[in-house]
């Protein structure tokens, strides 16, 4: 009903009125408990008004039908300034999480790979897959633009997109991949809808008689994963929005709760993705689509995608230099998937402020990519077990499913290659992806191995 300063000012800055409903969440919770228990309660309350972080010792005491509040030890401190680079990266992470279609583009915005499981994007995905090398804007309608060829990527980032066969409105996000001191070497395209798809999970009736197993994706990959991805992705995105205070000021402890929600959601989503991939690679009819690719280009793209994650821990990724080439015969998307797993593992296991190397090695009719780190290394016994299904090598944290390396080796072998490891305790690890070389291409240009 009434308040003195500084509580009155905080109430107004948080969007409340006097008299009016309490607008400070922590204070409102205290008052509710005092009135519910009809007892005097006291606690430290933390709040923020968008400019300052505030902490105070508040005592609440029943007062007729209401509550009398006494303030002691009121303290304020400025909120830390936002880092524009961090805010941009948080937004990129949200775009990746919510995307229902992702594509890798080259420096000219031509399509290299595309992936989507949204039913209303099936025609678009098929058209882009058949039109590799064409600008992505050839396959969609950019609202307010009649240009067929791509505009500058900054003008397209955030553009509203219309897609034939879909009733939903879409937003395009172009996430550039940079090499130091260079213009973008490529882009990740993320298409996000303004609303989730309407999906249902059909639970089949129990069969009357035993049914022989079918080839192709099973229950998780075919039925469950597509239904779960978008709800989980939106949980993660909303939690990230709260954690980074994009939606408004928030007390630090609530930001930490949101961070825990986002981390748990990411773990759950990765489990769903890994289980779906597991069904694919273990299917009897699984095969890859080999093409003529440049392993150096794929390696640089993997490094660009994971660069920010490495920078958060002071880790430097040293990819093949621009101008290095190693022609090979393999499927671009699957090689990229394997390298993302290898480099991601190297970042996870490496100490802070260390280095991860990605090197090329021609070997007669074979072509190799080596990912080396400065982590704890693997014993002989661990090197045998590391490629086994669900193997996490005794890790007690909640990250990873233990399927990444198993799936990566299956992919390598499906492309006529192999995935091996060389390591020793305390000396880091070297994971080697070996695929058929492209003997008809020009001689590869590589550099010597580092003295790791």
């Amino acid at each position: 009903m009434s308040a003195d300063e500084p509580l009155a000012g905080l109430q107004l800055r948080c969007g409340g009125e006097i008299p009016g409903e309490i607008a400070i969440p922590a204070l409102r919770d205290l008052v509710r408990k005092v009135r519910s228990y009809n007892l005097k309660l006291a606690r430290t309350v933390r709040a923020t008004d968008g400019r300052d972080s505030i902490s105070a010792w508040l005592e609440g005491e029943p007062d007729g039908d209401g509550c009398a509040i006494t303030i002691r030890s009121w303290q304020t401190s400025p909120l830390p300034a936002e880092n524009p680079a961090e805010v941009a990266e948080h937004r990129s992470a949200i775009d990746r999480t919510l995307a229902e279609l992702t594509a890798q583009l080259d420096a000219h915005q031509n399509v290299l790979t595309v992936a989507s499981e949204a039913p209303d994007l099936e025609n678009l995905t098929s058209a882009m897959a058949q039109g590799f090398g064409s600008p992505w804007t050839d396959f969609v309608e950019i609202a307010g633009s009649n240009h067929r060829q791509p505009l500058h990527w900054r003008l397209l980032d955030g553009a509203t997109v219309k897609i034939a066969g879909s009733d939903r409105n879409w937003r395009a996000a172009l996430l550039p991949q940079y090499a130091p001191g260079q213009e973008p070497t490529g882009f990740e395209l993320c298409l996000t809808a303004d609303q989730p798809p309407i999906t249902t999970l059909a639970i089949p009736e129990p069969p009357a008689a035993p049914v022989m197993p079918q080839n192709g994706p099973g229950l998780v990959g075919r039925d469950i994963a597509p239904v779960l991805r978008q709800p989980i992705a939106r949980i993660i995105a909303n939690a990230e929005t709260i954690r980074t205070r994009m939606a408004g000021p928030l007390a630090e402890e609530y930001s930490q709760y949101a961070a825990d929600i986002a981390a748990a959601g990411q773990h759950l989503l990765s489990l769903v993705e890994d289980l779906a991939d597991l069904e694919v690679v273990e299917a009897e009819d699984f095969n890859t689509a080999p093409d003529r690719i440049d392993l150096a280009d794929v390696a640089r793209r993997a490094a660009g995608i994971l660069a920010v994650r490495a920078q958060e821990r002071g880790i430097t990724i040293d990819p093949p230099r621009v101008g290095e080439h190693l022609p090979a015969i393999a499927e671009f998307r699957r090689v990229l998937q394997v390298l993302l797993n290898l480099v991601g593992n190297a970042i996870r296991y490496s100490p802070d402020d260390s280095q991860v190397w990605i090197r090329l090695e021609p070997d007669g009719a074979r072509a190799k990519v080596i990912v080396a780190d400065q982590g704890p290394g693997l014993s002989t016994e661990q090197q045998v077990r590391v490629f086994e299904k669900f193997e996490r090598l005794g890790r007690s944290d909640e990250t990873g499913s233990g399927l990444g390396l198993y799936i990566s080796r299956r992919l390598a072998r499906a492309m006529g290659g192999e995935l091996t490891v060389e390591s020793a305790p305390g000396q880091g690890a070297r994971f080697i992806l070996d695929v058929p070389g492209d003997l008809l291409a020009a001689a590869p240009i590589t550099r010597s191995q580092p003295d790791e």
Side-chain angles (χ1 to χ4, degrees):
M1 296 300 297
S2 63
D4 297 327
E5 289 296 340
L7 191 58
L10 178 61
Q11 164 79 354
L12 297 174
R13 291 194 299 275
C14 288
E17 298 178 351
I18 301 175
E21 182 178 349
I22 297 174
I24 308 160
L27 178 58
R28 185 168 60 244
D29 183 61
L30 173 63
V31 171
R32 283 175 175 168
K33 284 183 169 59
V34 169
R35 298 183 64 181
S36 176
Y37 304 146
N38 198 32
L39 293 173
K40 180 178 180 179
L41 299 176
R43 65 174 57 174
T44 298
V45 171
R46 293 182 175 84
T48 178
D49 60 3
R51 180 186 61 193
D52 294 324
S53 176
I54 299 163
S55 65
W57 179 261
L58 295 188
E59 297 175 355
E61 185 174 3
D63 183 8
D65 293 334
C67 176
I69 302 165
T70 303
I71 306 173
R72 306 184 192 279
S73 302
W74 182 279
Q75 296 179 348
T76 63
S77 59
L79 289 172
E82 292 185 337
N83 185 323
E86 291 181 359
V87 172
E89 179 53 34
H90 289 318
R91 292 189 181 278
S92 296
I94 292 173
D95 286 331
R96 290 190 179 98
T97 301
L98 284 178
E100 295 188 50
L101 180 145
T102 59
Q104 293 295 324
L105 313 177
D106 64 17
H108 302 290
Q109 300 183 43
N110 298 320
V111 179
L112 298 175
T113 68
V114 62
S116 175
E117 294 188 1
D120 53 346
L121 297 184
E122 184 176 348
N123 291 338
L124 173 63
T125 304
S126 176
M128 294 178 75
Q130 296 175 16
F132 286 162
S134 300
W136 70 276
T137 50
D138 284 358
F139 306 98
V140 300
E141 177 185 343
I142 307 296
S145 174
N146 296 321
H147 291 272
R148 294 287 295 172
Q149 296 301 318
L151 300 168
H152 191 280
W153 70 271
R154 293 190 185 277
L155 299 177
L156 291 170
D157 185 30
T160 299
V161 176
K162 298 291 185 180
I163 297 174
S166 176
D167 295 330
R168 294 186 285 166
N169 294 318
W170 296 85
R171 183 179 64 84
L174 284 172
L175 312 181
Q177 298 164 1
Y178 287 103
Q182 303 287 333
E183 288 294 314
T185 58
F187 302 89
E188 183 178 358
L189 169 66
C190 299
L191 293 185
T192 304
D194 59 351
Q195 58 183 341
I198 299 176
T199 57
T200 57
L201 176 60
I203 306 298
E205 294 291 333
V211 178
M212 296 300 292
Q214 299 178 350
N215 292 336
L219 180 65
V220 174
R222 182 186 62 242
D223 299 322
I224 296 179
V227 177
L228 291 182
R229 281 192 183 103
Q230 277 306 305
I232 297 174
R234 289 191 176 269
I235 291 172
I236 297 169
N238 289 336
E240 280 292 323
T241 299
I242 295 171
R243 181 182 74 84
T244 56
R245 300 179 175 88
M246 290 181 182
L250 187 73
E252 182 61 31
E253 58 265 36
Y254 291 105
S255 177
Q256 291 300 320
Y257 298 154
D260 292 340
I261 294 171
Q266 288 283 6
H267 179 53
L268 179 58
L269 187 59
S270 68
L271 289 176
V272 172
E273 299 289 357
D274 285 348
L275 289 173
D277 282 343
L278 179 65
E279 289 183 338
V280 170
V281 300
E282 289 191 333
E284 292 181 5
D285 58 351
F286 172 68
N287 55 61
T288 60
D291 198 0
R292 304 177 74 174
I293 66 172
D294 181 4
L295 289 182
D297 176 60
V298 185
R300 285 190 289 267
R301 294 182 187 276
I305 292 171
L306 295 174
V308 174
R309 185 193 303 180
Q311 290 171 3
E312 290 175 350
R313 296 183 45 212
I315 296 174
T316 302
I317 303 177
D318 186 11
R321 297 284 190 266
V322 176
E324 293 184 60
H325 304 283
L326 186 54
I329 303 295
E331 183 175 347
F332 180 96
R333 180 169 66 96
R334 296 303 186 181
V335 172
L336 180 62
Q337 181 178 350
V338 173
L339 290 183
L340 287 174
N341 180 261
L342 297 182
V343 177
N345 282 347
I347 294 171
R348 181 178 297 115
Y349 286 104
S350 293
D352 293 351
D353 303 315
S354 62
Q355 194 166 17
V356 172
W357 295 273
I358 309 177
R359 293 294 182 263
L360 310 174
E361 184 177 292
D363 185 12
R366 314 296 296 177
K368 298 180 179 180
V369 183
I370 302 168
V371 177
D373 61 56
Q374 294 177 305
L378 301 169
S379 66
T380 302
E381 178 187 359
Q382 289 175 323
Q383 292 178 48
V384 175
R385 293 166 43 206
V386 74
F387 293 105
E388 294 179 0
K389 194 188 304 184
F390 301 112
E391 179 54 61
R392 301 173 74 241
L393 294 181
R395 281 161 46 197
S396 59
D397 60 14
E398 296 183 355
T399 61
S401 62
L403 288 171
L405 288 175
Y406 173 81
I407 292 171
S408 294
R409 175 174 269 187
R410 295 283 298 226
L411 291 174
R413 291 176 174 177
M415 292 185 289
E418 185 58 273
L419 180 62
T420 57
V421 62
E422 297 175 354
S423 183
Q427 298 183 19
R430 288 162 44 95
F431 283 87
I432 305 166
L433 173 63
D434 177 326
V435 295
D438 185 358
L439 301 181
L440 298 180
I445 302 174
T446 61
R447 57 174 165 173
S448 59
Q449 297 296 315
D451 184 14
E452 284 130 9

